[in-house]
């Protein structure tokens, strides 16, 4: 049975956030709110976390996982960014964007796209997600909480608790969450590509 935490959206309870971070370090899979929609999250190097997310979402090995980072300095440890790309990403963060970039050696191999050796990264503009990342001290391995054969992500913490009670360990509820996943921008090739149009405005990349 999943633990359920009602967290204040503007002033997250420090003790609760600390407890969730400890659970993640112990191998927990969580459902948590972001500035786009709910996401599944686990510790960065957790093989079990990857397997469980793949199982819940019915994903193949070509799926790009995302490292949700607290800030730009942390993001820069895990991906290679040239100067032009740096400026473009810096201007759009924090925000509802995921960027696909070549991974550094800091990224666990099982997270990499098998052919391109890339990974998704993002910095959320969400108080609760930021509090959790600050407490954790490292990126959170994440994927949108979009269930197989459903068009929109789950948006309510209580509903997630009800439907995923036996497959996740922790649910954080901080009020209504959006239904639109992040906009995904691929900077890993010779030309920038908008892979998915979502919550983030694409005008700055066009």
């Amino acid at each position: 049975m999943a633990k359920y935490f009602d967290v204040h959206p503007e002033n997250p309870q420090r003790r609760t956030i600390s407890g969730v971070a400890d659970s993640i370090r112990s191998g927990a899979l969580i459902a948590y709110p972001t500035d786009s929609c709910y996401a599944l999250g686990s510790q960065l190097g957790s093989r079990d976390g990857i397997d469980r997310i793949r199982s819940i979402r019915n994903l193949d090995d070509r799926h790009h996982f995302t490292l949700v980072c607290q800030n730009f300095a942390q993001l820069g440890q895990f991906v290679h960014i040239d100067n032009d790309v740096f400026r473009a990403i810096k201007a759009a963060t924090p925000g509802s964007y995921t960027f696909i970039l070549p991974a550094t050696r800091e990224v666990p191999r099982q997270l990499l796209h098998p052919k391109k050796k890339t990974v998704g990264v993002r910095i959320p503009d969400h108080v609760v997600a930021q509090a959790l990342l600050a407490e954790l001290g490292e990126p959170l391995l994440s994927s949108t909480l979009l269930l197989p054969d459903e068009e929109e992500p789950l948006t309510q913490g209580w509903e997630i608790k009800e439907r995923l009670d036996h497959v996740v360990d922790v649910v954080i509820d901080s009020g209504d969450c959006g239904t639109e996943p992040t906009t995904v921008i691929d900077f890993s090739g010779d030309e920038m590509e908008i892979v998915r149009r979502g919550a983030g405005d694409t005008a700055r990349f066009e």
Side-chain angles (χ1 to χ4, degrees), residues 20 23 32 39 54 59 67 82 97 104 119 121 132 134 139 142 145-146 153 169-170 199:
V20 173
S23 295
Y32 71 103
R54 285 194 198 280
L59 301 171
L67 302 183
D82 67 27
Y97 300 91
T104 68
V119 71
V121 287
L132 182 58
S142 285
L145 209 176
L146 181 61
D169 304 304
V170 174

Side-chain angles (χ1 to χ4, degrees), residues 33-158:
T34 76
D35 53 340
S36 57
C37 57
Y38 263 92
L40 294 166
S42 72
Q43 191 172 32
L44 178 59
S46 172
R47 179 82 227 185
D48 181 62
I50 294 170
D51 291 343
R52 291 171 70 187
I53 291 171
R54 285 194 198 280
S55 176
I56 291 169
R57 292 203 52 201
N58 193 24
L59 301 171
D60 62 28
D61 64 359
R62 294 184 302 278
H63 175 75
H64 264 112
F65 281 95
T66 299
L67 302 183
V68 177
C69 302
Q70 182 189 357
N71 51 40
F72 213 92
Q74 192 177 73
L75 181 148
Q77 297 174 35
F78 295 91
V79 288
H80 296 289
I81 313 176
D82 67 27
N83 288 338
D84 290 340
V85 172
F86 176 93
R87 284 191 289 271
I89 294 178
K90 184 79 170 169
T93 57
S96 303
Y97 300 91
T98 298
F99 303 101
I100 297 172
L101 289 157
T104 68
R105 291 183 180 179
E106 299 291 322
V107 179
R109 207 169 160 186
Q110 63 265 31
L111 296 185
L112 302 178
H113 187 282
K115 290 185 178 177
K116 300 184 354 181
K117 307 304 180 195
T118 51
V119 71
V121 287
R122 91 178 199 88
I123 302 171
D125 187 13
H126 191 279
V127 172
V128 175
Q130 278 289 342
L132 182 58
L133 290 165
E135 187 67 32
L136 196 58
E138 65 179 22
L140 199 55
L141 163 64
S142 285
S143 183
T144 302
L145 209 176
L146 181 61
L147 298 180
D149 303 319
E150 296 195 10
E151 292 185 4
E152 290 191 342
L154 300 178
T155 62
Q156 302 283 348
W158 62 266

